[in-house]
């Protein structure tokens, strides 16, 4: 019989695969990296390249390419640091908010289809367990995701 850790590994691998099937990226407003970066900026507020690098453990050249594409798409803008620092920061534009909200709505709708026959208690239990899993990963990684 599989140990729980073996089952968790298999199920999280399958979850990553299945999420692409539940919410296919056809007609999406953002690519995956922009969705994740914009979600972090939305949660934390304007961020510099250095702050994004710390948050995602990505190098500046990778982030410069990603943010340049996001600037061209009009989903972020560069602004002076609101706290008076030297580095300019990236803030979400209205267009970025619109696209992020649109894609998030698609994700939620896909998950709602999957969970349609679950009870509210079962859905809450899954949400709590996934939250705990992510918090444990973030604790080990040292980079928590901002939460309400």
């Amino acid at each position: 019989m599989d140990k729980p850790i073996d089952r968790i590994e298999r199920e999280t691998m399958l979850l990553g695969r299945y999420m692409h099937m539940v919410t296919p990226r056809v007609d999406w407003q953002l690519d995956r990296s922009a969705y994740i970066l914009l979600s972090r900026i939305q949660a934390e507020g304007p961020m510099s390249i250095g702050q994004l690098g710390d948050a995602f453990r990505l190098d500046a050249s990778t982030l410069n390419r990603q943010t340049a594409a996001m600037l061209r798409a009009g989903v972020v803008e560069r602004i002076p640091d609101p706290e008076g620092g030297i580095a300019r920061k990236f803030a979400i534009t209205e267009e970025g908010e619109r696209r992020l909200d649109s894609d998030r709505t698609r994700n939620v709708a896909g998950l709602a289809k999957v969970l349609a026959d679950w009870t509210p208690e079962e859905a809450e239990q899954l949400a709590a367990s996934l939250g705990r899993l992510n918090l444990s990963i973030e604790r080990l990684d040292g980079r928590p995701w901002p939460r309400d």
Side-chain angles (χ1 to χ4, degrees):
M1 176 172 231
D2 287 340
K3 294 182 247 174
I5 197 76
D6 296 321
R7 291 185 1 242
I8 292 167
E9 184 280 331
R10 181 179 52 250
E11 297 304 333
T12 56
M13 178 269 302
L14 290 170
L15 179 62
R17 176 178 165 18
Y18 294 152
M19 284 306 297
H20 297 292
M21 295 164 56
V22 170
T23 56
R25 299 217 53 94
V26 176
D27 296 325
W28 279 60
Q29 303 290 311
L30 301 165
D31 66 29
R32 184 177 177 273
S33 65
Y35 183 87
I36 294 169
L37 288 171
L38 284 178
S39 292
R40 184 64 179 250
I41 294 168
Q42 186 181 55
E44 204 162 315
M47 298 177 76
S48 67
I49 288 286
Q51 290 171 316
L52 290 168
D54 290 343
F56 292 103
R57 214 178 261 190
L58 292 172
D59 61 61
S61 65
T62 298
L63 286 166
N64 279 323
R65 281 191 305 277
Q66 291 175 339
T67 55
M70 292 166 60
L71 283 164
R72 283 191 303 276
V75 297
V76 293
E77 62 184 342
R78 293 194 79 154
I79 63 168
D81 184 343
E83 286 121 37
I86 297 171
R88 295 179 57 84
K89 294 193 173 190
F90 293 93
I92 300 177
T93 62
E94 285 184 28
E95 178 65 10
E97 292 277 358
R98 185 192 66 72
R99 290 184 187 192
L100 184 59
D101 290 345
S102 173
D103 286 357
R104 188 167 287 132
T105 297
R106 286 175 188 258
N107 273 336
V108 170
L111 287 169
K113 288 179 192 174
V114 171
L115 301 176
D117 62 344
W118 290 39
T119 67
E121 294 78 19
E122 289 170 327
E124 179 55 42
Q125 183 180 17
L126 177 61
S129 293
L130 287 171
R132 184 173 181 195
L133 177 65
N134 282 325
L135 286 169
S136 294
I137 292 168
E138 293 164 9
R139 179 181 43 79
L140 291 174
D141 188 50
R143 278 173 283 186
W145 189 276
R147 290 176 168 79
D148 297 351

